[in-house]
Amino acid sequence: MNSKAVPEESKFDGLKWLVVVLIVAAGVVGNSLYSDQSLFYRVVALLVLALVAGFVALTTAKGKSFFNLFKEAKTEIRKVVWPTRQETLQTTLMVVVVVLIVGLLLWGLDSLLGWFVSGVIG
């Protein structure tokens, strides 16, 4: 059972999400309006707007929950025992062999059934 407290939703969360949507919309519209400007400047402006929108989104209850989930996922990834190179190669080889065998069996069955059907219908 997870005993961690879920962040309570603030009465300003809806307003914060509206600000995030407006910032993203401003980025989209601004990118269209300033399409004649240098790509570098537009990308920098979009990155700044994305950072601001992300910061505002992370101050909401759902944003805090997402950030906690991200931190926990990083912790879990560190716990994973990754296969060695040899295990990966052996598993890949087994998959390739099984796929080839099944492919040959299906090709043979298809050829046999095709021959049988063409013999029956003439």
Side-chain angles (χ1 to χ4, degrees):
M1 193 172 205
N2 194 353
S3 63
K4 293 182 182 178
V6 176
E8 287 190 30
E9 212 169 300
S10 168
K11 59 183 175 181
F12 295 115
D13 276 359
L15 183 63
K16 290 177 184 177
W17 284 113
L18 179 64
V19 168
V20 169
V21 169
L22 290 175
I23 290 171
V24 170
V28 171
V29 171
N31 192 39
S32 296
L33 289 176
Y34 295 106
S35 62
D36 57 335
Q37 297 297 318
S38 170
L39 178 64
F40 174 75
Y41 296 126
R42 289 187 293 147
V43 168
V44 169
L46 286 174
L47 287 175
V48 168
L49 287 175
L51 286 173
V52 171
F55 176 75
V56 173
L58 285 176
T59 61
T60 65
K62 290 191 186 290
K64 290 175 186 173
S65 296
F66 173 77
F67 188 69
N68 287 337
L69 175 70
F70 183 74
K71 286 193 312 188
E72 291 173 8
K74 279 178 55 177
T75 304
E76 290 299 320
I77 286 176
R78 287 189 198 113
K79 295 178 186 177
V80 172
V81 179
W82 298 101
T84 63
R85 181 176 176 84
Q86 182 181 3
E87 291 170 336
T88 305
L89 288 173
Q90 288 174 346
T91 305
T92 303
L93 183 61
M94 285 190 291
V95 168
V96 168
V97 168
V98 168
V99 165
L100 286 174
I101 291 172
V102 170
L104 288 172
L105 287 172
L106 289 174
W107 172 72
L109 181 64
D110 181 56
S111 297
L112 181 68
L113 290 175
W115 174 77
F116 177 74
V117 168
S118 64
V120 168
I121 61 174

